[in-house]
């Protein structure tokens, strides 16, 4: 089993101490744990938007300190639980996010493909500001997923969705990522999802 | 043209009666700022009386060192005002603002006094009033720009975090806020240029005309000072923001907005 990510003696500001973790390539890993156990912080440490006060993280065997942070974040994309969409239509949103990455906007077919994965049956011209929290969350995930990273990290991706929608979205995302050999790390409180989709399961505890 | 009529002190003090009208309207409209009005009027009076004494002394005993000290004090005061209006900036940002105000102010002032007027920079009669206008307006512009910049990035944390998580460079994320803040700082100056001469006769020109200068000369000064102010506001703000936004992220491309 190939390891794509591992952590050693990780510690954040002496508040959170992590046990050593290993994340396998091409696998669906769920992270659960009580609040304050540092789940979201762990994902931010992995994509380098936060720095650990001690310890190291290795991506493909290389310490992330030796990898350009921007390149790292292009390969390990974090979908935060705080959804942000630009004002305008779904298509405008794809266009703006791609523009920030200096990439050409994907074709309509491709956008629709990713929206379908995330259970969004709307036209590309629908205005996002009129949508519900759950719909906005799914569009946000669809856009991030469309960048097809090496690792996709989802922080509470179903927090604004009902049970049925949660299962469908996670089913589609995991299916797509398995097919494209994208490793997925999901933080979730939903036991049904963990039981159904976790190939690996990491439980974080407050270790002080 | 006649020389200006000296104000008689008793006649002059009648001007304060107008404040009673302000007080009356404020009381009627339940605006609870009587203390501020009194304090502001009092502070203005004391500050200007002091400035009057100091300037009279400097003009009677012109010495390069006095002009220099006066300008340095102005710049220092401007820097202190901008920083006190924008708390929570990191040290590099603060230093950037200080350097920008100092450099742009002195540069534009020198150009104006030495090249346009053709006087020595150490001549207090020209340098001190012009410095006041140039540095004062730059101070207002920078304060507005930094406030706009910091507030807009603070309220858009989710956007900034989302773009960082997607692998966008901090530079690309922050530059739109820099440009927007610069525009905000420049608009008032440009708008006042638009209305000048029609809606208002500007302060410096009014002053010169009152003291007997021909309007044809006064307008040349006014045009020059407006362009100098516009340039100084633009340059100071641009430099402050250019140094400042870079202080908000580190080599690991992590953005830390507040201390």
């Amino acid at each position: 089993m190939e390891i794509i990510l591992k952590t050693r003696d990780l510690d954040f500001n002496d508040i959170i101490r992590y046990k050593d973790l290993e994340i396998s390539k091409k696998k669906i890993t769920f992270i659960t744990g009580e609040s304050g156990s540092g789940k979201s912080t762990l994902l931010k440490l992995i994509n380098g938007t936060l720095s650990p006060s001690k310890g190291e993280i290795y991506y493909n065997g290389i310490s992330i300190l030796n990898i350009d942070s921007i390149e790292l974040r292009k390969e390990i994309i974090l979908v935060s639980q705080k959804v942000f969409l630009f004002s305008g239509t779904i298509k405008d949103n794809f266009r703006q996010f791609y523009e920030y990455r200096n990439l050409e906007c994907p074709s309509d077919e491709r956008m629709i493909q990713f929206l379908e994965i995330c259970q969004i049956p709307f036209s590309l011209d629908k205005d996002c500001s009129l949508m519900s929290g759950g719909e906005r969350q799914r569009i946000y995930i669809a856009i991030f997923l469309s960048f097809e990273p090496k690792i996709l990290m989802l922080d509470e991706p179903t927090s604004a969705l009902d049970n049925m929608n949660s299962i469908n979205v996670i089913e589609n995302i995991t299916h797509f990522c398995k097919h494209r050999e994208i490793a997925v790390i999901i933080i979730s409180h939903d036991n049904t999802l963990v039981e159904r989709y976790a190939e690996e399961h990491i439980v974080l505890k407050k270790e002080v | 043209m006649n020389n200006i009529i000296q104000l008689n002190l008793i006649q002059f003090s009648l001007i304060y009666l107008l404040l009673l009208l302000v007080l009356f309207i404020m009381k009627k409209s339940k605006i609870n700022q009587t203390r501020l009005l009194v304090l502001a009027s009092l502070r203005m009076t004391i500050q200007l009386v002091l400035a009057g004494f100091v300037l009279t002394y400097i003009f009677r005993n012109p010495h390069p060192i006095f002009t220099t000290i006066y300008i340095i004090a102005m710049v220092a005061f401007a820097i202190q005002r901008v920083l006190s209006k924008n708390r929570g900036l990191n040290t590099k940002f603060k230093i950037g603002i200080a350097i920008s105000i100092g450099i742009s102010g002195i540069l534009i002032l020198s150009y104006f006094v030495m090249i346009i007027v053709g006087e020595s920079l150490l001549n207090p009669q020209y340098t001190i009033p012009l410095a006041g206008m140039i540095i004062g307006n730059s101070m207002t512009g920078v304060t507005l720009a930094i406030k706009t910049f910091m507030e807009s990035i603070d309220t858009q944390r989710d956007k900034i975090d989302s773009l960082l998580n997607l692998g966008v460079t901090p530079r690309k994320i922050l530059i739109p806020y820099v440009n927007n803040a610069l525009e905000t700082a420049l608009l008032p100056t440009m708008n006042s240029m638009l209305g000048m001469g029609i809606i208002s006769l500007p302060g410096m020109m009014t002053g010169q005309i009152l003291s007997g200068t021909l309007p044809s000369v006064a307008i040349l000064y006014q045009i020059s000072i407006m362009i100098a102010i516009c340039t100084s506001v633009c340059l100071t703000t641009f430099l402050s923001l250019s140094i400042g936004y870079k202080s908000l992220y580190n080599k690991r491309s992590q953005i830390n907005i507040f201390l």
Side-chain angles (χ1 to χ4, degrees), chain B residues 30-259:
Chain B
K30 297 198 167 50
I31 300 172
N32 214 359
Q33 297 285 6
T34 318
R35 259 180 60 112
L36 182 65
L37 180 74
V38 174
L39 185 74
S41 316
L42 208 67
R43 264 191 69 162
M44 172 191 71
T45 308
I46 295 169
Q47 282 163 200
L48 286 179
V49 167
L50 283 175
F53 278 125
V54 174
L55 287 176
T56 310
Y57 181 82
I58 295 178
F59 287 169
R60 281 197 188 138
N61 312 281
H63 191 285
I65 205 95
F66 290 147
T67 315
T68 312
I69 291 173
Y70 206 101
I71 301 294
I72 291 173
M74 262 183 193
V75 172
F77 181 72
I79 293 167
Q80 191 268 331
R81 287 287 292 175
V82 175
L83 297 184
S84 72
K85 292 259 176 189
N86 290 286
R87 300 209 176 269
L89 298 176
N90 62 50
T91 313
K92 204 176 151 200
F93 207 142
K94 286 182 187 166
I95 294 172
I97 291 173
I99 292 174
S100 306
I101 294 177
I103 290 183
S104 336
I106 305 289
L107 200 74
I108 304 295
L109 178 69
S110 311
Y111 184 77
F112 196 139
V113 176
M114 289 155 68
I115 299 185
I116 306 298
V117 183
E119 269 292 327
S120 155
L121 190 60
L122 297 170
N123 179 343
Q125 192 196 341
Y126 288 88
T127 296
I128 292 177
L130 292 173
M133 295 185 77
I134 290 172
I135 295 166
N137 280 282
S138 303
M139 174 184 87
T140 315
V142 172
T143 305
L144 189 62
I146 305 291
K147 217 176 167 54
T148 310
F149 179 70
M150 294 306 282
E151 275 174 6
S152 51
I153 53 179
D154 188 38
T155 53
Q156 304 221 20
R157 262 316 329 199
D158 290 349
K159 176 180 179 180
I160 292 172
D161 287 341
S162 291
L163 292 170
L164 275 180
N165 290 337
L166 203 58
V168 179
T169 61
R171 186 190 137 76
K172 198 161 170 90
I173 296 172
L174 294 174
I175 281 289
Y177 299 106
V178 169
N179 295 342
N180 182 40
L182 182 60
E183 186 182 336
T184 307
L186 278 176
L187 281 179
T189 313
M190 291 194 288
N191 277 330
S192 87
M193 281 161 88
L194 276 182
M196 205 148 275
I198 304 171
I199 303 165
S200 65
L201 286 184
M204 182 165 97
M205 184 169 140
T206 313
Q208 285 184 308
I209 293 175
L210 280 175
S211 58
T213 310
L214 284 171
S216 55
V217 176
I219 58 157
L220 295 184
Y221 271 93
Q222 188 60 44
I223 293 168
S224 312
I225 190 70
M226 282 315 294
I227 293 175
I229 286 172
C230 182
T231 317
S232 180
V233 169
C234 183
L235 192 63
T236 314
T237 312
F238 176 74
L239 285 177
S240 299
L241 289 169
S242 299
I243 301 172
Y245 93 88
K246 287 189 186 131
S247 74
L248 299 184
Y249 60 89
N250 58 21
K251 279 187 188 146
R252 301 288 302 153
S253 297
Q254 298 163 337
I255 295 184
N256 288 312
I257 299 175
F258 290 106
L259 284 175

Side-chain angles (χ1 to χ4, degrees), chain A residues 102-165:
Chain A
N102 296 324
L103 293 171
E104 219 170 287
C105 187
S107 66
D108 287 7
E109 294 73 45
R110 197 174 150 81
M111 287 188 245
I112 290 167
Q113 180 202 346
F114 284 97
L115 292 171
E116 277 172 357
I117 292 173
C118 295
Q119 301 276 300
I120 294 285
F122 306 145
S123 130
L124 290 175
D125 296 322
K126 186 160 176 167
D127 194 329
C128 296
S129 55
L130 305 170
M131 293 177 191
S132 73
E135 289 163 346
R136 288 169 61 83
Q137 186 174 33
R138 278 175 285 155
I139 289 174
Y140 187 64
I141 297 172
I143 295 173
F144 277 54
L145 180 62
S146 75
F147 284 92
E148 294 197 38
K150 297 275 193 291
I151 303 177
L152 181 72
M153 303 194 291
L154 300 161
D155 191 353
E156 303 273 5
T158 57
S159 57
L161 307 185
D162 59 48
N163 285 344
M164 208 47 224
N165 254 321

